[in-house]
Amino acid sequence: MHQDGISNRNIQVSVEAEDFDVNQEYHWLRENQMRDGAIVTFVGLVRDMNAGEKVQKLCLEHYPAMAFASLQSIAKQATERWRLGKIRVIHRFGELDLGDQIVFVGVTSMHRGDAFAAAEFIMDFLKTNAPFWKKEQTAKGSRWVDAKQSDQDKTASWQK
Amino acid sequence: MIKILFFAQLRERLGVAELTQDTLPDTIGALRNELSQQSGLWAELLQKERCLAALNQEIVADNAKLNSGDEVAFFPPVTGG
C-alpha cells in the first residue's frame, strides 16, 4: 500500500456535458513535474454497435450529487494502492453521438507498471460504481444498456 | 423526513424521480420492503438483485441505518464509462 501524500490538486475530477480535449489533459498531466516517467491515458468512445444492434445515439443519465464524489473516491483508492503523481478523470453526461468521447482517465507514475495498473483499476471501478446509466437510441427505439457480469468480475478481481 | 431518488429504468418505469416521506424505516432494507408493498411493479423493480441503493451518495448494503434528513437513491446496476 502506498500513500505518498498525493495532494488534492493533483487529483482532478470532472463530470460535465461538454467534450474534452485530450491534448489539454495530457499537457496538464505532464506539466510541472519531473519525477514521473510514465503517463497512461484512456479514452472511452460511443460505439456504433452494441448487443448486435446498430446504435444511433446515446444518452447518459447520472446522479449529479453522487457522480463527482464517486469518481473522486475511486481516484483516491488508486493512490492508496500505487505510487502515483497526478490523476485526471472526466466523465460526460447528456446526449452523445457515435464516435463521441465519453470518458477520460489519465494517470502519471514513476514507471509504466503502476500507471497502467492504476488507469485500469480506475476504469474498472468506474464501470461498476460510478452512477451513470446509458440509454441507446436504435432503429427499433430506445433501450437502457444492461450491466455486464464481466465488468463486475473485473472489479471483483481487484479485491482478491 | 427522508428524500428518495430514482434513476434510469427505475425512474422511467415507476414514473417518479423523487419522493419525500415522513416515516423513517430502520434500514435501507426496511425502506425497500416498504416501497415494494405498493404494487407488483415496485416489488419487481426494487428487488435487491437488480436495484442498488445509495445512502447520502454512497452505495450501501441493505443493513445500512437510516436517519432523518438522509438522501436515499435506488437505481439499476450502473453502465457508465
Side-chain angles (χ1 to χ4, degrees), chain B:
Chain B
M1 200 180 74
I2 50 172
K3 185 155 109 175
I4 311 165
L5 307 173
F6 302 92
F7 290 96
Q9 296 96 307
L10 262 76
R11 175 182 54 74
E12 271 188 2
R13 293 193 57 199
L14 297 171
V16 56
E18 183 176 335
L19 292 176
T20 51
Q21 75 169 49
D22 293 325
T23 57
L24 187 67
D26 281 350
T27 62
I28 290 281
L31 173 64
R32 196 194 287 270
N33 287 338
E34 207 177 280
L35 293 169
S36 297
Q37 308 290 315
Q38 298 192 74
S39 76
L41 181 67
W42 282 75
E44 181 201 328
L45 292 172
L46 288 175
Q47 276 176 66
K48 225 165 111 180
E49 296 69 32
R50 51 192 292 185
C51 169
L52 303 176
L55 176 58
N56 300 324
Q57 299 92 41
E58 226 174 283
I59 292 176
V60 292
D62 268 23
N63 60 6
K65 292 258 181 288
L66 290 176
N67 290 296
S68 186
D70 280 347
E71 178 174 291
V72 176
F74 289 108
F75 46 77
V78 300
T79 56

Side-chain angles (χ1 to χ4, degrees), chain A residues 26 31 44 54 76 81 87-88 102:
Chain A
Y26 175 73
E31 73 185 351
K54 270 221 165 304
K76 280 255 158 66
R81 294 177 78 124
I87 302 177
R88 179 74 171 119
I102 306 173

Side-chain angles (χ1 to χ4, degrees), chain A residues 61-63 65-66 91 103 126-135 144-145 147, chain B residues 5-9 11-12 54 57-59 71 73 75-81:
Chain A
E61 178 168 332
H62 74 306
Y63 176 4
M66 179 175 166
H91 204 302
V103 62
L126 180 157
K127 280 273 187 187
T128 53
N129 288 274
F132 293 88
W133 300 272
K134 286 182 181 140
K135 193 177 192 184
W144 291 98
V145 172
Chain B
L5 307 173
F6 302 92
F7 290 96
Q9 296 96 307
R11 175 182 54 74
E12 271 188 2
Q57 299 92 41
E58 226 174 283
I59 292 176
E71 178 174 291
F75 46 77
V78 300
T79 56

Side-chain angles (χ1 to χ4, degrees), chain A residues 16-69:
Chain A
E16 59 194 26
E18 299 74 42
D19 196 10
F20 51 83
D21 176 356
V22 173
N23 272 325
Q24 200 179 310
E25 303 312 329
Y26 175 73
H27 179 75
W28 178 81
L29 288 163
R30 199 180 160 194
E31 73 185 351
N32 301 326
Q33 66 89 14
M34 301 286 174
R35 189 200 73 164
D36 289 346
I39 299 179
V40 166
T41 64
F42 170 85
V43 178
L45 308 172
V46 181
R47 289 185 301 139
D48 65 351
M49 286 287 281
N50 189 32
E53 213 147 339
K54 270 221 165 304
V55 176
Q56 298 167 333
K57 236 179 187 331
L58 191 68
C59 188
L60 263 156
E61 178 168 332
H62 74 306
Y63 176 4
M66 179 175 166
F68 180 85

